[in-house]
Amino acid sequence: MGNQMTEMLKGTLEGIVLATLAGQPAYGYEITARLRDEGFSDLVEGTVYALLVRVEQKGLVDVEKVPSEKGPPRKVYTLNAQGREQLEEFWRTWSFLADRIEQLRRTTHPDQAVQTEGDQ
């Protein structure tokens, strides 16, 4: 998957991070660790930090500096109302695209169509 996966992630990583924060607030490393636990094993920590700067600048998260046992205070990110709206838009867009792509695959390659519960 390699390069193609990287390119697809570029367009969806913001929504993925917002979805991670929808569950509970977290700091940068924690977000990266959660995503790696979810199977995004090649995700680079620096990529997540750069994205967090962007979502903070867009006003999608609230940030609180929390003292750390080791080193400087940590920035803990919490999804705010604007971030939740953005996340809902992400899920609507994702569903629309996923449906269209699957429809296209079924039309052009019916032998490769994914079998869903309704198809069984």
Side-chain angles (χ1 to χ4, degrees):
M1 286 188 257
N3 192 42
Q4 191 168 30
M5 177 69 78
T6 300
E7 290 302 312
M8 287 185 167
L9 270 176
K10 283 181 186 178
T12 57
L13 191 56
E14 181 177 301
I16 292 167
V17 168
L18 294 178
T20 301
L21 290 173
Q24 68 183 60
Y27 57 93
Y29 180 78
E30 223 175 6
I31 295 166
T32 303
R34 286 182 197 170
L35 291 174
R36 286 180 179 158
D37 288 346
E38 292 294 328
F40 296 97
S41 55
D42 294 337
L43 192 59
V44 178
E45 197 172 329
T47 302
V48 173
Y49 282 109
L51 187 135
L52 288 169
V53 169
R54 288 195 305 273
V55 299
E56 181 179 358
Q57 289 173 343
K58 289 180 175 181
L60 304 177
V61 293
D62 294 328
V63 180
E64 178 184 358
K65 288 192 176 184
V66 175
S68 171
E69 294 175 11
K70 304 174 187 173
R74 293 180 172 152
K75 288 176 107 177
V76 175
Y77 298 86
T78 303
L79 196 62
N80 61 26
Q82 188 175 343
R84 290 189 190 286
E85 288 175 21
Q86 184 70 24
L87 179 58
E88 287 303 313
E89 179 63 26
F90 170 79
W91 286 130
R92 282 191 298 273
T93 303
W94 178 262
S95 294
F96 174 82
L97 288 173
D99 289 347
R100 298 296 89 65
I101 291 168
E102 183 58 29
Q103 183 178 0
L104 179 63
R105 182 165 67 162
R106 287 180 183 200
T107 302
T108 58
H109 294 93
D111 56 319
Q112 294 179 4
V114 174
Q115 193 175 39
T116 62
E117 287 182 342
D119 295 331
Q120 294 177 1

